[in-house]
Amino acid sequence: MTAKMTGISADDLQNFEETPCILTLRDGEIRGIERDSVRIFKGVPFAAAPVGDLRFRPPQRPTPWSGVREADEYGPAPMQGGLSGTASLAYLGAPRSEDCLYLNVWAPAAPGPHPVLVWIFGGSNQTGSASFPLFDGAVFARRGIVCVTISYRVGVYGFLELGEVLGADYRGSSENGLRDIVAALEWVQENIAAFGGDPARVTAGGESAGGMNICSLMAAPAARDLFQSAIVQSGGEVVASLEEANAVARIFNEGLLEAGGVASDLLAMPAEEITTLQSRLLDGRPRSFRGVFGGDLIPVRPLDAIAQGASSQVRLLIGTNRDESIMFIPATDPTGPQISNADLAANDPVFNRYAPRFAGLSPLEQRVRFMTARDFWRSSSQIALARARQGAAETYVYRFDQTAATGAWAGRAVHAAELPYVWNALDAPSAVAFLTGQADAGRRRLGAEICDRWANFIHGHPPDADGALPWPCFDRDHAVLLFDEKVRLEPLDEAELELWT
């Protein structure tokens, strides 16, 4: 399908340097803009609004529209609470609503077909937004890539298992957030050619919960052939059994009953009240909202499925950050016994093995290393090793060690710190204020290099960059590329992995 260009006044061109652009999609026509050789379309529905009778239900196709739909504003962010202040409009880039199943596209104006990046935001499956200001897809469009940022339901709306609470009709509701992602990937297969994208060259990329959700979908038969490559940043396997998901639902239902309600109230209760209840009951409970295995969508635990060959045809770039977990350690008592609602020494024998193995580290550093391994590094490494053993498509493994220059996390490579580098957006206010501090010339060079490496991977090439250290496949020597002031290669620390066996 081809774009049709509409007229625009000379004054508008002078003021905005934008040209309207109309595309014909499966469900109707949309009008976006072309600016600086990038076509931009925002707020495009990929599924019906999950409201009313569709609350807690799997995503449905949107209703086709007549006329031309304007695609010049982001769709709403998913309904969510104020976890760590992240529900602010400045952070999310859009207001919140249950009606959130929209995506955004940045495409090169040059003819395709171009490879495609589908980006899945993180946020513990509890918060986040496809309109987060850092995720400006123009940076990839200028590298010859069609970039799509997608939304999905988070928290109770997408990950609460209501089969026991509301009956058999709602069994599998904990899969709805992942099913939203599948629906977006299916939309890409049907529509991305209209933007100049190649549906046979799709990379699913995501960070934190976004990366974890990609790992879950690597074990989902319904997602097979929807993406040919994957980028997993600070993800790995983080899932729940159906029994664990039911336990979370019971906590939520008991809180509802204590408040004088009944389970069926959830079907008509205002979304703000549901979100308030979620915040009161579950915000302090770690990882309440995870992909659930053992159901229709993910029959087998993802790591087991990957070890058995699931998604072996998918190219994979995967890695973690050196100090991921420092931001989750209470500043008031960083070396105390309690962390993430668990007494480490009493409840996790693996933690007791870290002190002798890393005797040269302070108690705090041992804790950071342990928690980073527990929550991110271990399963990411296990996925890479499993793929190497069964001869899967090429896998590339990294660790991000570049520390923040200034600010609260100066001297640390914390969770999400790689994002401004991947998106080559070190001057973005969110990056400067929270993740990277003021960037110097060396950090700017590293940002350009990392963005170029990711882009080359999305294009189907090795993730190398001009003049930079070549990045070998992991299966050769289990080599890990470390991003720091000096990019270098080191072998995977398999001795640390053995602490977990």
Side-chain angles (χ1 to χ4, degrees), residues 148-315:
V148 184
T149 64
I150 69 170
S151 188
Y152 59 101
R153 285 171 284 181
V154 299
V156 297
Y157 304 96
F159 291 90
L160 188 65
E161 178 51 54
L162 293 169
E164 279 192 359
V165 174
L166 291 177
D169 286 349
Y170 291 89
R171 186 170 294 126
S173 61
S174 56
E175 300 174 339
N176 286 339
L178 293 178
R179 290 191 183 279
D180 292 343
I181 298 172
V182 171
L185 289 166
E186 291 174 337
W187 184 97
V188 166
Q189 288 297 308
E190 294 187 29
N191 293 280
I192 207 65
F195 300 86
D198 185 350
R201 289 191 293 161
V202 175
T203 296
E207 182 268 345
S208 192
M212 295 167 190
N213 291 337
I214 291 171
C215 289
S216 293
L217 292 180
M218 288 175 71
R224 182 177 174 83
D225 299 328
L226 294 181
F227 55 96
Q228 293 70 44
S229 302
I231 296 174
V232 176
Q233 299 168 208
S234 303
E237 183 204 66
V238 180
V239 290
S241 65
L242 183 58
E243 181 178 342
E244 290 171 318
N246 283 331
V248 174
R250 290 185 203 112
I251 293 171
F252 193 80
N253 190 45
E254 288 166 5
L256 179 62
L257 295 175
E258 290 172 2
V262 294
S264 60
D265 291 346
L266 291 173
L267 300 178
M269 184 183 294
E272 288 287 356
E273 293 183 21
I274 294 177
T275 302
T276 298
L277 190 62
Q278 171 188 306
S279 297
R280 180 168 65 83
L281 297 172
L282 298 176
D283 273 5
R285 189 180 189 277
R287 295 190 168 175
S288 295
F289 304 112
R290 296 175 280 174
V292 176
F293 69 91
D296 292 338
L297 184 63
I298 309 171
V300 179
R301 191 175 189 115
L303 187 54
D304 292 339
I306 290 168
Q308 295 164 14
S311 292
S312 61
Q313 80 286 0
V314 173
R315 301 164 64 248

Side-chain angles (χ1 to χ4, degrees), residues 35-60:
R35 180 196 305 138
D36 295 334
S37 299
V38 175
R39 292 175 176 174
I40 306 170
F41 303 85
K42 298 178 179 179
V44 181
F46 66 86
V51 299
D53 291 342
L54 295 182
R55 177 185 280 179
F56 305 128
R57 298 284 194 174
Q60 304 296 314

